Amino acid sequence: FLAREWGSGATQELHHQGFDLHEKLASDLGVESFRRLPTLSVGDRPLRGAPPREFPWVDKAVSQPMDDCTAQVNPKEITARMMDAAIANGASLVVGTVEGVKRDRNRVSAVVVDGKQVDCGTVVFALGPWSVLVEKWLPEVRVPMQGVLSSSLLFRMPTAVEPPCALFCGEDDFGCHLEVNPRKDSTVYVCGLGGSRYLDEGQIAALPPSEV
């Protein structure tokens, strides 16, 4: 899920550029799962009248337009397309576990992958929540982060939900604040199920990716 206008202050321009870059990459690389779609805010009051004319399937609770500058893309597909494009332009893919870095004075000269050094002129750490590990490898760097460990569901529908829109639901009595994202491939991704664990930096670093 991508939202162009959901940043403020120091992150506002990052949201703008990130959204625009995803859209451009999707076009350039032929990413089929990318699409713009509006987002609705769904409340906790049952719907007594007719559902929204534009989205008749949103028929269980009162809803209202929230944002029309939002989009979605399958993370696996866009990552694979970017990697394929990089390899086509001379990059190589090394699959393994990053264990640390080697330094030459004030610069990183190599990344240690499964005990072997991979020399580099420039390094970019794109580890998602596990970017907190950079604090161990580069003690002068701080990566402040709090993680939320939660559950998600993926429903496979007989046909794609049309017309598509994303739903952000208000919190219910059970602590759930569901987010519902119908996808182009006839699946519906749902998160915000409640019962989430909030993790500090140390807990994130100790969490094996295989458990997420």
Side-chain angles (χ1 to χ4, degrees), residues 45-86:
R45 292 185 294 114
L47 182 65
R48 302 299 183 189
R53 183 175 57 185
E54 301 88 344
F55 308 103
W57 59 274
V58 186
D59 59 355
K60 298 302 182 184
V62 174
S63 63
Q64 61 183 1
M66 183 177 180
D67 195 343
D68 61 1
C69 197
T70 50
Q72 62 183 192
V73 66
N74 185 304
K76 181 179 180 180
E77 183 194 9
I78 194 170
T79 300
R81 294 294 180 95
M82 290 172 63
M83 192 69 249
D84 290 344

Side-chain angles (χ1 to χ4, degrees), residues 117-178:
Q117 288 189 200
V118 179
D119 294 336
C120 63
T122 302
V123 61
V124 177
F125 296 102
L127 307 175
W130 290 279
S131 296
V132 297
L133 293 170
V134 176
E135 294 187 351
K136 176 182 177 181
W137 305 332
L138 302 174
E140 71 276 19
V141 174
R142 289 292 172 264
V143 186
M145 188 177 299
Q146 183 184 60
V148 182
L149 185 61
S150 188
S151 300
S152 59
L153 300 173
L154 187 67
F155 296 93
R156 300 191 181 278
M157 310 299 289
T159 58
V161 175
E162 295 287 349
C165 67
L167 306 180
F168 275 63
C169 306
E171 187 166 333
D172 63 18
D173 294 338
F174 302 98
C176 298
H177 44 86
L178 299 181

Side-chain angles (χ1 to χ4, degrees), residues 7-24:
S8 62
T11 66
Q12 185 174 28
E13 186 60 26
L14 182 62
H15 276 75
H16 290 173
Q17 292 189 24
F19 186 96
D20 295 344
L21 183 57
H22 274 84
E23 189 166 39
K24 184 178 187 304

Side-chain angles (χ1 to χ4, degrees), residues 81-105:
R81 294 294 180 95
M82 290 172 63
M83 192 69 249
D84 290 344
I87 291 173
N89 282 276
S92 59
L93 173 64
V94 177
V95 178
T97 301
V98 177
E99 299 172 341
V101 300
K102 295 294 184 179
R103 305 180 70 163
D104 181 7
R105 297 180 182 178

